[in-house]
Amino acid sequence: MSAGDAVAGWSDDPAPADDLARPADPAAFPVTPRDRDDAHPGRRRGDEVGDGPFGRAVAAFAWGAGLTALLAAANLPLVALALLLRPDPSLVWLVALAAVPAGPALSAGLYAVREHYVDPGVAVARAFGRGYRLGWREALAVSAPVCLVAGLVAVVGAGARSSGVPALVAGLAPGAAVLLVLVALHALALRTFFRLPLAAAWQAGAYYLVARWRASLGTLALLAGAVAVAAAASDLLLVLLGGVWVWLWYRTTAGMLRDAVARFLRPTTTT
């Protein structure tokens, strides 16, 4: 895949082919908010009463709570199953089916977090809705096959002994499923901000699995943490931490996304 095969972040209207080579904003994936006042280092713009550390903490909590609520609403089938049904191997296919919308929801959440970093004043509902509207098809193309494969792996693992599946296959299947989910999350993050073809996104996700191993380890830790919270505490707590999880996912993959800017955007010369 050449650099010219990929496109910069989403726009409301499809751009002509000549416009797709625009240079990337070097701050497209910041890790610190861009609301500082250059005239007063260390201060934020509009530092007035209620805009101090406590006020910013309250605003951040409200923004995160709004993102969590939007993620829960977009994942309503999965949330309902997690809260209402007891764990049962016979229901794995139903959980896998309900998890299909998780891809577009996570993509929209990641987009909203990035928008918040670029412009802290943006409304969370507006950012999330725009991200969902612009990227749900691309995200669904990544999440749907993963949910199908993960469901099959869970069914095979649950009935391995009774169905005569070799022990080696049953033992390797969970590890392969975890690697698949990691590559899928990388591909989902890339497709959220770049118009990569589906096959190219999977290839890039597999490449970054090793090339950006810190991002992969961080994402793996987030997945393990989500499983631990659901198992040790409750699915409800995991739902309440959805916004924090997506924010941490953004921070984990920000370096990978910045690297993708250099690799997947055609350089342009200005006159």
Side-chain angles (χ1 to χ4, degrees), residues 2 9 39 61 64 81 92 110 114 119 131 133-134 141 152 179 186 219 231-232 235-236 243 247 250:
S2 65
F61 177 81
L81 286 180
V92 168
L110 195 68
R114 183 259 188 177
D119 179 11
R133 174 173 58 86
L134 295 176
L152 291 175
L179 289 178
H186 285 347
T219 306
D235 295 330
L236 177 58
W247 174 74
Y250 174 84

Side-chain angles (χ1 to χ4, degrees), residues 6-10 28-29 102-115 131 134-143 146 180-198 200-206 208-209 212 215-216 218-219 222 245-261 264:
V7 182
W10 302 114
F29 302 102
L106 289 175
S107 176
L110 195 68
Y111 184 95
V113 173
R114 183 259 188 177
E115 288 295 286
L134 295 176
W136 71 269
R137 293 181 182 86
E138 288 73 16
L140 190 63
V142 174
S143 64
V146 173
L180 176 64
V181 172
L182 285 176
V183 174
L185 287 174
H186 285 347
L188 185 62
L190 291 167
R191 289 205 100 191
T192 298
F193 302 108
F194 304 93
R195 290 197 176 116
L196 291 174
L198 181 59
W202 279 104
Q203 292 173 10
Y208 281 120
L209 184 67
R212 287 283 173 170
S216 300
T219 306
L222 290 176
W245 193 95
V246 172
W247 174 74
L248 291 173
W249 181 34
Y250 174 84
R251 293 295 297 264
T252 299
T253 58
M256 179 189 76
L257 295 170
R258 284 195 300 270
D259 183 77
V261 169
F264 296 148

Side-chain angles (χ1 to χ4, degrees), residues 115-134:
E115 288 295 286
H116 180 65
Y117 271 94
V118 173
D119 179 11
V122 67
V124 60
R126 179 180 180 184
F128 186 91
R130 185 170 186 266
Y132 201 102
R133 174 173 58 86
L134 295 176

